[in-house]
């Protein structure tokens, strides 16, 4: 563990892969220490009734394999739905394990959320949007056990990402930082701290920076996400739509220096916003992230 | 376990604006939480994100057909389709093929050239569907009674489709070795560039 004042050369800079960013990634791979891939977009899941159920995108997989020969790949999945109460998606873990065997992930992550539900008729369906989990003991017990199961199945560090909380629930047993602390302690996972997600909650009045960061055990943070957003109908959204807000950069500078086990800082940009952001600003963002990653630790 | 029922009710509140706070399979605190969310701004935000997620996929995969139908008609047809079809995959090709069949069956008084344009976009989806199943996609044929390239351009520009010159043409589509679509006019052999769809949305 790095101590106060130490430099941490192990903190890398990454970018989440999107098809529209492909040429940029090829041309400016000098700016990247690793590539973060959303594996679910690299295969087609035809559902349990079809064989084969999962069919890989051969072109995407070939590119990731080529990249892996030069630099690490980390997986950031969207399909685990670890907070779904009606069942655990074992088949998704098997699929991540299959891709890990091909791409040798440095670590893998998913979201503290659910997007798979069962309706009153017993049919499963997808919501497509990560729904917040009600942070009570029942959910904590369930998710901690699932985290442990993921770690038994895939021998890589597993991180959970804090969700955006557009919806809040009255009378929860835990706030988000303490729920995450408990999950890390009981399940053995690490934390992917998405600072833009926290910023969204702060902007929308659902969180307070000081309270959040003072309650969160930053020793669990292994990766940080940065992104940009936009306002729609008076609500600030996690849209991955371009430049990182100044307030997020400022908070990131404080937080990065207090995370002794941080391994990577990743920028998320939705491919359809790439043209508007442009390669110069994207490159400048990654360079600023590198300076952030090189900052020495401070005493906490 | 009531948490699964709560999540189901919450999902219905967001996706279908259905109040489940009276369900008898919920704990008291869960009923209270749902009741408190009924007029919550966050629920409206989640509903917008959920609808956007479903809508952008359809707009991406059937852009020309929906442009010909227009926003109002498209919205009404999507509401009717979504009432009977929930999303079951992050991959929307199969769902969009079902929606295309739904449109064929449900759209009365079809706008001029709508059927051919929908056939064309259905054929593109069939190529993608077969590819995603790991199959070698069979070539697709689509019959037009207007010049295809001019027709596509007119749809994209929002021009009057009746001004597109009539012409009997058959487009043949297949995927090349790299998985790229290749469309040619049968008999003429000229290559046609397939129009691109719209952008996708971020939900994560």
């Amino acid at each position: 563990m790095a101590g106060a004042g130490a430099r941490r050369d192990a903190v890398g800079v990454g970018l989440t892969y999107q098809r529209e960013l492909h040429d940029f990634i090829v041309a400016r791979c000098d700016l990247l220490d690793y590539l973060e891939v959303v594996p679910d977009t690299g295969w087609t899941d035809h559902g349990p009734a079809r064989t084969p159920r999962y069919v890989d995108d051969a072109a995407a997989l070939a590119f990731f394999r080529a990249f892996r020969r030069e630099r690490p790949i980390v997986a950031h999945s969207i399909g685990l739905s670890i907070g779904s109460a009606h069942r655990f998606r074992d088949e998704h873990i098997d699929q991540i394990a299959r891709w890990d065997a091909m791409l040798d992930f440095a670590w893998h992550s998913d979201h503290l959320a659910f997007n798979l539900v069962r309706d009153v008729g017993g049919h499963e369906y997808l919501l497509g949007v990560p729904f917040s989990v009600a942070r009570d003991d029942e959910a904590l017990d369930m998710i901690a056990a699932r985290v442990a199961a993921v770690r038994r199945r895939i021998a890589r560090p597993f991180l959970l990402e804090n969700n955006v909380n557009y919806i809040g629930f009255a009378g929860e047993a835990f706030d988000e930082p303490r729920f995450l602390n408990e999950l890390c302690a009981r399940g053995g996972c690490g934390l992917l701290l998405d600072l833009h997600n926290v910023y969204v909650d702060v902007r929308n009045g659902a969180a307070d920076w000081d309270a959040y960061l003072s309650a969160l055990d930053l020793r669990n943070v292994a990766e940080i996400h940065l992104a940009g957003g936009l306002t729609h109908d008076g609500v600030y959204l996690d849209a991955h739509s371009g430049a990182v807000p100044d307030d997020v950069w400022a908070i990131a500078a404080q937080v990065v220096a207090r995370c002794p086990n941080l391994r990577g800082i990743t920028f998320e940009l939705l491919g359809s916003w790439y043209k508007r952001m442009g390669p110069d600003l994207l490159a400048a963002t990654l360079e600023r992230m590198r300076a952030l990653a090189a900052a020495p630790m401070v005493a906490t | 376990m009531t948490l699964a029922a709560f999540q189901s009710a919450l999902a219905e509140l967001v996706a279908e604006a259905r109040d489940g706070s009276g369900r008898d399979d919920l704990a008291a605190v869960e009923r209270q939480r749902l009741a408190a969310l009924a007029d919550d701004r966050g629920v409206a935000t989640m509903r917008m994100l959920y609808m956007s997620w479903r809508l952008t996929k359809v707009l991406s995969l059937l852009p020309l057909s929906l442009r010909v139908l227009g926003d109002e008609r498209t919205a009404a047809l999507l509401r009717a389709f979504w009432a009977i079809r929930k999303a079951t995959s992050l991959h929307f090709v199969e769902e969009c093929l079902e929606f295309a069949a739904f449109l064929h069956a449900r759209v009365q008084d079809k706008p001029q050239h709508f059927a051919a344009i929908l056939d064309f976009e259905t054929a593109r989806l069939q190529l993608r569907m077969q590819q995603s199943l790991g199959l070698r996609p069979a070539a697709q044929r689509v019959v037009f009674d207007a010049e295809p390239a001019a027709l596509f351009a007119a749809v994209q520009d929002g021009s009057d489709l009746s001004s597109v010159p009539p012409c009997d043409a058959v487009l043949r589509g297949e995927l090349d070795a790299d998985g790229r679509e290749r469309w040619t006019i049968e008999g003429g052999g000229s290559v046609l560039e397939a129009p691109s769809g719209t952008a996708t949305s971020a939900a994560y």
Side-chain angles (χ1 to χ4, degrees):
Chain A
M1 185 179 294
R7 293 185 66 84
R8 295 167 305 172
D9 55 7
V11 178
V13 169
L15 178 65
T16 301
Y17 181 82
Q18 296 261 300
R19 203 179 302 266
E20 295 87 343
L21 305 181
H22 183 98
D23 292 347
F24 176 89
I25 290 166
V26 170
R28 298 307 314 268
C29 60
D30 59 300
L31 296 171
L32 301 175
D33 296 311
Y34 61 89
L35 186 65
E36 183 164 280
V37 304
V38 178
D40 320 55
T41 63
W43 64 63
T44 300
D45 177 2
H46 290 286
R50 285 187 195 268
T51 304
R53 172 171 180 171
Y54 295 98
V55 179
D56 296 334
D57 177 338
L61 190 53
F63 175 71
F64 297 151
R65 279 178 148 153
F67 191 95
R68 179 64 192 89
R69 286 194 281 274
E70 304 294 326
R71 292 175 177 82
I73 298 263
V74 306
H76 182 52
S77 174
I78 58 177
L80 179 56
S81 194
I82 199 166
S84 284
H86 70 286
R87 78 173 179 96
F88 184 43
R89 296 195 76 200
D90 296 287
E91 73 275 23
H92 185 80
I93 297 301
D94 289 343
Q95 182 65 3
I96 295 288
R98 197 170 70 79
W99 269 50
D100 176 48
M102 293 188 285
L103 295 172
D104 187 26
F105 297 141
W107 65 85
H108 70 116
S109 62
D110 208 304
H111 302 75
L112 174 59
F114 71 94
N115 64 13
L116 186 72
V117 290
R118 189 172 57 197
D119 67 16
V120 288
H123 305 292
E124 253 188 4
Y125 66 103
L126 269 178
L127 297 161
V129 183
F131 276 53
S132 300
V133 174
R135 294 183 291 264
D136 295 320
D137 287 311
E138 182 181 357
L140 180 62
D141 292 344
M142 176 186 77
I143 297 171
R146 290 176 176 183
V147 166
V150 170
R151 293 180 63 239
R152 283 194 298 272
R153 181 73 179 85
I154 301 173
R156 308 283 181 194
F158 175 57
L159 317 180
L160 277 179
E161 178 183 330
N162 56 299
N163 203 36
V164 175
N165 299 289
Y166 297 113
I167 292 177
F169 306 111
E172 289 176 295
F174 301 89
D175 59 20
E176 187 168 82
R178 289 177 181 83
F179 194 81
L180 291 166
N181 293 345
E182 284 293 318
L183 271 181
C184 292
R186 289 170 53 174
C189 61
L191 183 58
L192 194 178
L193 177 59
D194 190 318
L195 286 174
H196 190 257
N197 285 359
V198 183
Y199 178 70
V200 171
D201 283 353
V202 170
R203 283 281 301 264
N204 294 329
D208 173 84
W209 275 122
D210 291 339
Y212 194 100
L213 293 174
S214 62
L216 190 67
D217 186 344
L218 294 175
R219 292 173 301 178
N220 293 322
V221 177
E223 182 183 358
I224 284 174
H225 269 177
L226 299 177
L230 53 81
T231 300
H232 177 80
D233 278 352
V235 179
Y236 186 77
L237 302 175
D238 179 41
H240 300 177
S241 50
V244 178
D246 289 343
D247 286 354
V248 175
W249 281 119
I251 290 288
Q254 297 172 31
V255 171
V256 166
R258 292 165 54 201
C259 297
N261 299 307
L262 184 64
R263 294 181 63 181
I265 306 173
T266 310
F267 181 60
E268 295 186 293
L269 175 68
L270 187 65
S272 56
W273 288 92
Y274 171 59
K275 269 189 184 168
R276 187 171 299 192
M277 183 174 191
D280 293 343
L281 182 53
L282 178 53
T285 299
L286 294 169
E287 284 164 352
R288 189 169 177 181
M289 287 162 57
R290 183 162 303 286
L292 200 62
M297 289 288 298
V298 297
T300 55
Chain B
M1 186 171 77
T2 60
L3 185 55
F6 174 71
Q7 291 181 350
S8 172
L10 179 63
E12 287 177 357
L13 176 64
V14 169
E16 301 166 43
R18 186 181 304 159
D19 177 11
S21 59
R23 286 172 58 155
D24 58 10
D25 54 354
L26 300 175
V29 67
E30 291 167 334
R31 280 197 288 271
Q32 289 163 10
R33 285 173 178 171
L34 282 174
L37 286 172
D39 300 316
D40 190 82
R41 183 179 73 163
V43 171
T45 300
M46 290 295 284
R47 186 173 300 140
M48 180 273 292
L49 292 171
Y50 169 75
M51 294 297 179
S52 299
W53 172 65
R54 296 197 76 178
L55 178 62
T56 50
K57 302 298 183 187
V58 178
L59 290 175
S60 300
L61 296 174
L62 296 168
L64 300 178
S65 303
L66 301 185
R67 188 142 193 170
V68 172
L69 281 178
D71 290 349
E72 210 167 295
R73 233 171 151 184
T74 294
L77 287 158
L78 272 173
R79 277 195 294 272
F81 179 69
W82 287 347
I84 57 172
R85 174 59 152 97
K86 290 174 173 164
T88 54
S89 171
L90 292 171
H91 306 280
F92 275 69
V93 172
E94 190 165 2
E95 182 177 331
C96 281
L97 278 167
E98 289 178 31
F99 185 53
F102 179 86
L103 292 176
H104 263 304
R106 287 287 288 269
V107 175
Q108 307 297 319
D109 303 323
K110 291 182 172 61
Q112 190 178 15
H113 302 303
F114 174 75
I117 288 167
L118 185 57
D119 283 344
F120 171 69
E121 293 193 315
T122 302
R124 297 185 73 182
L125 292 173
Q126 288 289 2
L127 291 173
R128 292 293 163 208
M129 184 69 189
Q130 291 173 41
Q131 181 192 40
S132 74
L133 285 168
L135 305 172
R136 183 187 171 89
Q140 303 288 311
R141 293 177 81 249
V142 185
V143 177
F144 287 84
D145 59 6
E147 205 283 303
L151 184 59
F152 296 153
V155 173
Q156 288 183 306
D157 294 346
S159 309
D160 178 9
L161 301 189
S162 65
S163 64
V164 178
C167 147
D168 290 331
V170 176
L171 279 187
R172 178 185 171 84
E174 51 203 334
L175 297 186
D176 68 15
D178 294 323
R180 288 186 297 253
E181 279 179 59
R182 179 182 165 85
W183 288 91
T184 53
I185 297 176
E186 279 190 357
S190 58
V191 177
L192 185 99
E193 188 170 337
S196 58
T198 59
T200 55
S201 71
Y204 288 83

